[in-house]
Amino acid sequence: WMTETNTDLFSHNTMTAEAHRVDAFKEGVGQGVLGRLLDEVSRTGTGLAVSSTSIDAESRMMDGDPSTGRLADVLPNNGVPVFWERQYLRSDLSETLRGYLQDLHSDTVDGSGIFGNLFSQAFVDIWNKTDSLETTLANVQVGAFTGDDAQDMQDTIKQVAKLIVARQERGNGINRDVFYVEMGGYDAHSSVFSNLNSNLPVLNSALNNFWDDMKSQGLENKVTVVQGSEFGRTITPNSNAGSDHAWGGNYFVFGGEIEGTKILGKYPESFGANSPTNIGRGRILPTTSWDALWYGIGQWFGVTDFGGLER
């Protein structure tokens, strides 16, 4: 596979990058499928305002054409951090930092760096954006987002719900939004059943709360959720009752305009050793590409020309 695709199939880092890029031969300008999707929406000339936000994570999935200057916002799941409320600015150090900030934003002199003005303006823009977003989200009401499980995931999904509800108050109003959240802890090379019994109810509860909130806000037909992973796992266990790295996996998509309750792709005829799709230990060759679902998502999102979908 390295010869044919230059892709290391069973590496976490490599396959995460491939899943987020959806561009095996690196032909696109942007590094991420969601970033390129926003680029294409912006190119339509319809005046749609776009935005991308990651919660408690950074992902190349959000990166589009660098020449647009658009970067994904990265927010914590517990709110928006206001600059002067940071702990390290509540001590005597705040006065020391104040001097550096004044130097940064003062008039350009002979010894100023060539990017000084650009950096200063970017800093001020982000500062103002953060303050505005903090005020906006403080007034947004969503569901309780609680459950008998890890609160961290509930808070992460809740932050997405609040941003969606506040879409008209963010900036000059957002027409097309993409969000990225992640949940780790599934690399179960041992005790796979215990792992899934602990993790899946947490994810399920958070998604249930999110979807209930979207329906209560009347937004179910305007939201689509895509779940994915970097690769599947072996079906047969290892000696530690765990599951190892594999290839094809199961992923789900749901939303108000998704024609759901269907399995897309071909279910394996057999998991036996002689099955043509089983390359050993239940490592299943995928019959439907991860790339393929983004054609439908892209069209729903507003990219309808073939060239845009190809990019």
Side-chain angles (χ1 to χ4, degrees), residues 25-302:
F25 298 102
K26 302 178 178 60
E27 297 171 330
V29 176
Q31 291 195 55
V33 62
L34 292 179
R36 297 198 306 275
L37 188 58
L38 292 182
D39 290 343
E40 294 302 325
V41 169
S42 299
R43 287 192 184 102
T44 61
T46 54
L48 295 176
V50 303
S51 177
S52 57
T53 309
S54 296
I55 310 299
D56 268 348
E58 291 185 75
S59 169
R60 75 179 68 202
M61 200 172 204
M62 317 294 274
D63 295 339
D65 184 345
S67 68
T68 66
R70 185 190 67 250
L71 298 173
D73 294 325
V74 181
L75 299 179
N77 66 5
N78 59 353
V80 180
V82 178
F83 186 72
W84 286 110
E85 291 183 0
R86 297 292 183 92
Q87 186 62 40
Y88 59 79
L89 294 177
R90 296 178 183 176
S91 64
D92 293 339
L93 289 175
S94 63
E95 290 305 313
T96 302
L97 184 60
R98 186 180 299 275
Y100 289 117
L101 289 174
Q102 289 173 341
D103 288 341
L104 173 64
H105 303 302
S106 62
D107 293 338
T108 301
V109 297
D110 291 343
S112 299
I114 60 174
F115 297 112
N117 287 340
L118 178 63
F119 189 91
S120 176
Q121 188 60 56
F123 186 94
V124 171
D125 290 345
I126 293 298
W127 193 335
N128 290 336
K129 183 178 182 179
T130 299
D131 286 349
S132 174
L133 186 58
E134 192 274 337
T135 301
T136 297
L137 293 186
N139 297 316
V140 172
Q141 298 298 317
V142 294
F145 281 84
T146 57
D148 298 327
D149 45 52
Q151 188 60 37
D152 192 60
M153 195 62 193
Q154 298 280 357
D155 291 339
T156 298
I157 300 295
K158 181 179 181 179
Q159 187 79 303
V160 174
K162 293 181 73 172
L163 287 163
I164 292 174
V165 173
R167 64 198 180 282
Q168 296 302 326
E169 288 75 37
R170 290 160 46 210
N172 295 319
I174 303 299
N175 307 109
R176 293 292 186 273
D177 248 339
V178 295
F179 301 93
Y180 176 84
V181 303
E182 63 183 26
M183 180 182 180
Y186 290 93
D187 192 22
H189 290 284
S190 63
S191 306
V192 65
F193 287 114
S194 174
N195 177 288
L196 296 179
N197 286 335
S198 296
N199 284 324
L200 291 180
V202 172
L203 178 62
N204 192 57
S205 175
L207 287 176
N208 272 332
N209 286 336
F210 173 77
W211 199 241
D212 285 346
D213 199 82
M214 291 298 100
K215 289 188 290 186
S216 72
Q217 303 279 358
L219 296 173
E220 66 270 27
N221 290 337
K222 297 182 178 180
V223 176
T224 297
V225 178
V226 179
Q227 173 271 338
S229 181
E230 70 270 47
F231 45 58
R233 312 290 298 198
T234 57
I235 294 175
T236 60
N238 59 29
S239 58
N240 292 315
S243 178
D244 298 321
H245 300 182
W247 198 342
N250 303 309
Y251 311 111
F252 61 78
V253 181
F254 68 88
E257 294 197 342
I258 295 292
E259 188 177 349
T261 68
K262 294 182 178 181
I263 295 177
L264 302 181
K266 184 179 180 181
Y267 194 80
E269 295 179 3
S270 167
F271 295 103
N274 295 326
S275 171
T277 58
N278 183 358
I279 62 173
R281 290 196 55 208
R283 288 188 172 98
I284 303 301
L285 294 172
T287 59
T288 302
S289 170
W290 165 248
D291 304 33
L293 74 87
W294 295 104
Y295 266 66
I297 298 293
Q299 291 169 335
W300 170 80
F301 209 64

